[in-house]
C-alpha cells in the first residue's frame, strides 16, 4: 500500500497529498517467465498460474516484485532505527483481538471448501489497522482501514512453510485496489520513496486516473473498526480440481448500527472505540464469500469491482469477538510481531492475480526486515 508525500505545493495538495497519506499473487501451468533464481533465504515467486481461472502473466512481474521489495526494504531501513521497525503499510494497529471463526452449520457444496467445514470453529487473531504508512497519523484523518484475520489450528499442508497451522484473510474497507499493473506500482513506489519533489508530483501519473480516483475514494473516516465493512479487494481460489472457482471475501458487522464519529476525537480514538466496545460486550461480524459468476469478472484486474448485483455474497461464517481486555503492552507487542500474508493459506484458498502473486515475495521480505531490525523471532502464534 502507499502513502506518499509531505512537501507538495498547495494547489496539488488536495489531489495528491491524500494519496500520499494513504498509499503509503487442477491445471496450473508452469511458466518460466514467472520464476526467478532465489537464494535459500529468499521467498520464491509463484511458479505457476491458473489459466482456467483466467490468470495471466504480466511481463517481468517476478523481477518487478523483487524490485518493489527492494524499494520497500530500503524505505523501512531508512525510516526506522534498529529496534523500532514497523510494517511499511498498515503500521498503526488499533489492536489485536482474540476471536472465534464459526463456520455455518449448513453450506452449499461449492462453498464448503478448505477451512469452510460446516459447523467447525477456529480460534483466531484479528489485527485492525490504519492503512497510512504514517504510524503517528491521527485516526480522524481519512484513511483505508485494515482487518487481518489469522485462523489457528488449521490442519493440512499450507502454501508457505513458515506457518503450519494458520489461514490468513486480509481485507480493507473498500471493494477495489488502486493498482493492478506491476510497472505502474513500481513507478509509484519509486515516486513515493524518492527524495525529489518533482518525482512526488508524478504520483497521479504513475497511478493513472482510475487508480488515483480509487486511491482517493478508499480513504474514509470511520467511528469503530468493528462497524465498517471490509473486502479482500483481490481474488482467491476456492476449492481444488475441476470444482475450483474464483471468489472474493468480505466481512461486516452483524448489526447495521454505527456509532457517530466523535466531535472531539482523541488521536487514537479508534483504539479507544475498540477497547470500549470489547470492555462492555462482545462483537459479532459476518464473513462472506463472493463466487465469481462470469469470466468477464477479471481475476487480474483488481481495480474493477465484481458487482454484488451480478455476483452476490454468501455468509459462510460468523466471527465472534468475545468481551476482552486486549490493550496491554504484552499483547500489543505480540500483535506487532505477527506476520499476515495472503499466502498463509491452504491450497484450497490460493491467492489469485498479479497483485497477490507479488504480495507473496513482498510481504515475506518486509516481515523479515522488520523482525530482523527488532531482533524479534518470526513465529506463528499458538
Ligand atoms: C502489490 C500490492 C501491495 C503491496 C506492495 C502491499 C504491501 C504491504 C506491506 C509491505 C505490508 C506490511 C507487511 C508486513 O510487514 O508484515 C502490507 C500490509 C497489509 N496490506 Fe498490503 N500491499 C499490497 C496490496 C494489498 C491489498 C490488495 C490489500 C487488500 C486487502 C492489502 C491489505 C493490507 C493489510 C490489511 C495489511 C496489514 C496486515 C497486518 O495487519 O499485518 N494490501 N501490505
Amino acid at each position: 500500500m502507499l502513502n506518499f508525500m509531505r512537501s507538495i505545493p498547495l494547489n496539488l495538495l488536495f489531489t495528491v497529498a491524500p494519496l500520499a497519506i494513504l498509499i503509503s499473487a487442477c491445471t496450473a501451468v508452469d511458466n518460466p517467465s514467472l520464476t526467478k533464481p532465489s537464494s535459500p533465504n529468499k521467498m520464491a515467486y509463484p511458479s505457476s498460474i491458473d489459466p482456467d481461472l483466467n490468470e495471466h502473466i504480466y511481463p517481468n512481474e517476478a523481477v518487478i516484485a523483487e524490485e518493489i521489495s527492494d524499494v520497500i526494504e530500503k524505505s523501512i531501513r531508512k525510516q526506522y532505527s534498529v529496534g523500532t521497525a514497523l510494517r511499511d503499510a498498515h503500521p498503526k494497529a488499533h489492536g489485536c483481538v482474540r476471536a472465534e471463526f464459526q463456520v455455518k452449520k449448513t453450506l452449499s457444496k461449492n462453498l464448503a471448501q478448505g477451512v469452510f467445514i460446516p459447523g467447525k470453529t477456529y480460534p483466531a487473531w484479528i489485527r485492525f489497522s490504519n492503512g497510512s504508512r504514517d504510524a503517528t497519523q491521527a485516526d480522524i484523518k481519512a484513511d483505508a482501514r485494515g482487518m487481518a484475520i489469522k485462523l489457528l489450528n488449521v490442519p493440512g499442508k499450507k502454501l508457505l512453510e513458515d506457518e503450519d497451522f494458520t489461514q490468513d484473510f486480509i481485507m480493507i474497507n473498500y471493494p477495489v485496489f488502486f493498482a493492478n499493473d506491476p510497472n505502474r506500482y513500481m513507478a509509484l513506489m519509486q515516486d513515493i520513496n524518492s527524495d525529489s519533489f518533482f518525482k512526488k508530483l508524478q504520483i497521479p501519473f504513475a497511478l493513472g486516473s482510475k487508480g488515483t480516483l480509487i486511491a482517493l475514494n478508499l480513504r474514509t473516516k470511520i467511528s469503530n473498526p468493528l462497524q465498517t465493512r471490509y473486502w479482500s479487494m483481490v481474488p482467491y481460489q476456492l476449492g481444488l480440481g475441476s470444482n475450483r472457482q474464483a471468489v472474493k471475501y468480505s466481512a461486516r458487522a452483524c448489526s447495521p448500527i454505527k456509532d457517530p464519529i466523535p466531535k472531539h476525537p482523541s488521536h487514537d480514538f479508534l483504539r479507544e472505540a475498540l477497547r470500549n466496545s470489547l470492555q462492555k460486550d462482545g462483537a459479532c461480524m459476518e464473513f462472506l464469500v463472493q463466487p465469481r459468476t462470469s469470466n468477464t469478472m477479471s481475476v487480474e484486474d483488481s481495480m474493477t469491482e465484481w458487482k454484488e448485483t451480478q455476483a452476490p455474497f454468501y455468509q459462510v461464517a460468523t466471527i465472534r469477538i468475545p468481551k476482552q481486555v486486549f490493550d496491554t503492552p504484552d499483547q500489543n507487542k505480540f500483535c506487532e510481531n505477527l506476520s499476515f500474508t495472503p499466502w498463509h493459506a491452504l491450497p484450497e484458498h490460493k491467492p489469485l492475480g498479479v497483485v497477490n502473486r507479488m504480495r507473496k515475495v513482498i510481504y515475506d521480505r518486509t516481515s523479515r526486515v522488520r523482525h530482523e531490525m527488532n531482533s524479534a523471532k518470526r513465529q506463528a502464534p499458538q
Side-chain angles (χ1 to χ4, degrees):
M1 293 286 291
L2 337 166
N3 175 347
F4 19 116
M5 63 260 209
R6 298 203 167 95
S7 50
I8 305 282
L10 263 179
N11 57 343
L12 274 162
L13 211 61
F14 293 108
T15 47
V16 186
L19 301 181
I21 293 158
L22 162 67
I23 307 174
S24 338
C26 120
T27 57
V29 170
D30 287 335
N31 192 310
S33 80
L34 281 172
T35 48
K36 183 174 186 277
S38 55
S39 73
N41 292 326
K42 227 176 211 180
M43 175 65 67
Y45 197 79
S47 58
S48 63
I49 58 155
D50 192 336
D52 289 351
L53 289 180
N54 312 110
E55 279 194 294
H56 67 256
I57 299 160
Y58 284 78
N60 296 322
E61 59 173 70
V63 174
I64 297 168
E66 284 300 335
E67 287 170 359
I68 293 172
S69 305
D70 292 344
V71 171
I72 296 178
E73 172 170 353
K74 211 171 142 198
S75 159
I76 297 174
R77 292 193 186 280
K78 187 173 163 192
Q79 193 180 351
Y80 297 106
S81 56
V82 169
T84 68
L86 298 175
R87 287 160 175 78
D88 183 66
H90 297 261
K92 183 176 180 180
H94 309 309
C96 271
V97 301
R98 280 178 294 109
E100 276 197 341
F101 190 91
Q102 304 174 337
V103 183
K104 275 180 75 178
K105 291 205 170 90
T106 50
L107 282 178
S108 61
K109 205 175 155 214
N110 70 318
L111 296 175
Q113 306 286 335
V115 293
F116 307 136
I117 301 168
K120 178 135 182 153
T121 293
Y122 301 89
W125 284 103
I126 303 177
R127 181 178 183 268
F128 292 101
S129 60
N130 283 345
S132 171
R133 285 174 77 205
D134 180 2
T136 64
Q137 179 173 287
D139 293 345
I140 194 59
K141 284 211 162 180
D143 198 358
R145 318 291 169 170
M147 177 184 186
I149 307 173
K150 189 178 284 295
L151 304 190
L152 309 178
N153 301 348
V154 179
K157 193 168 165 43
K158 307 299 182 309
L159 296 172
L160 292 188
E161 286 172 1
D162 63 339
E163 295 197 5
D164 290 335
F165 297 103
T166 59
Q167 166 71 49
D168 295 357
F169 297 113
I170 305 179
M171 292 170 286
I172 283 177
N173 66 336
Y174 199 71
V176 284
F177 194 56
F178 53 79
N180 54 20
D181 177 327
N183 283 302
R184 275 189 184 276
Y185 201 94
M186 182 61 202
L188 178 69
M189 294 313 291
Q190 284 170 332
D191 291 349
I192 292 168
N193 288 294
S194 167
D195 292 330
S196 157
F197 168 77
F198 293 104
K199 282 291 246 180
K200 292 199 194 293
L201 288 180
Q202 292 171 16
I203 286 169
F205 297 104
L207 275 180
S209 55
K210 189 172 178 181
T212 302
L213 202 64
I214 295 172
L216 288 169
N217 287 339
L218 65 71
R219 300 165 55 252
T220 58
K221 295 189 184 195
I222 64 167
S223 55
N224 189 322
L226 297 166
Q227 295 173 354
T228 188
R229 183 167 175 188
Y230 301 87
W231 288 263
S232 64
M233 296 176 149
V234 286
Y236 293 82
Q237 183 173 317
L238 183 59
L240 292 173
S242 57
N243 291 324
R244 71 197 187 285
Q245 56 186 323
V247 302
K248 289 185 182 176
Y249 303 122
S250 181
R252 66 179 171 212
C254 297
S255 152
I257 297 168
K258 282 191 182 164
D259 299 333
I261 306 233
K263 285 210 174 82
H264 305 289
S266 70
H267 192 267
D268 304 324
F269 81 95
L270 291 176
R271 177 175 284 267
E272 275 165 28
L274 193 59
R275 201 165 51 211
N276 291 338
S277 297
L278 296 178
Q279 207 162 281
K280 279 195 266 156
D281 264 320
C284 169
M285 296 181 86
E286 298 173 345
F287 189 84
L288 315 163
V289 168
Q290 181 187 35
R292 178 169 70 156
T293 54
S294 156
N295 284 355
T296 59
M297 297 173 181
S298 172
V299 297
E300 295 292 347
D301 177 11
S302 47
M303 294 165 76
T304 304
E305 191 177 357
W306 297 357
K307 293 280 179 209
E308 282 203 58
T309 47
Q310 291 157 25
F313 279 90
Y314 300 91
Q315 185 181 354
V316 294
T318 302
I319 300 167
R320 302 241 174 243
I321 306 178
K323 182 176 165 178
Q324 61 190 279
V325 174
F326 67 85
D327 198 4
T328 65
D330 280 354
Q331 194 156 316
N332 291 330
K333 189 174 175 196
F334 162 85
C335 186
E336 285 320 292
N337 287 332
L338 289 178
S339 297
F340 290 89
T341 162
W343 292 83
H344 282 151
L346 286 170
E348 287 91 337
H349 303 294
K350 187 184 162 204
L352 296 173
V354 64
V355 167
N356 265 335
R357 291 194 294 274
M358 295 204 301
R359 288 166 90 192
K360 182 175 182 226
V361 294
I362 295 169
Y363 283 41
D364 180 72
R365 176 88 75 89
T366 60
S367 167
R368 280 177 197 282
V369 169
R370 65 185 166 85
H371 282 82
E372 176 226 292
M373 285 178 73
N374 296 338
S375 303
K377 203 171 167 201
R378 285 180 87 230
Q379 55 190 0
Q382 303 301 314

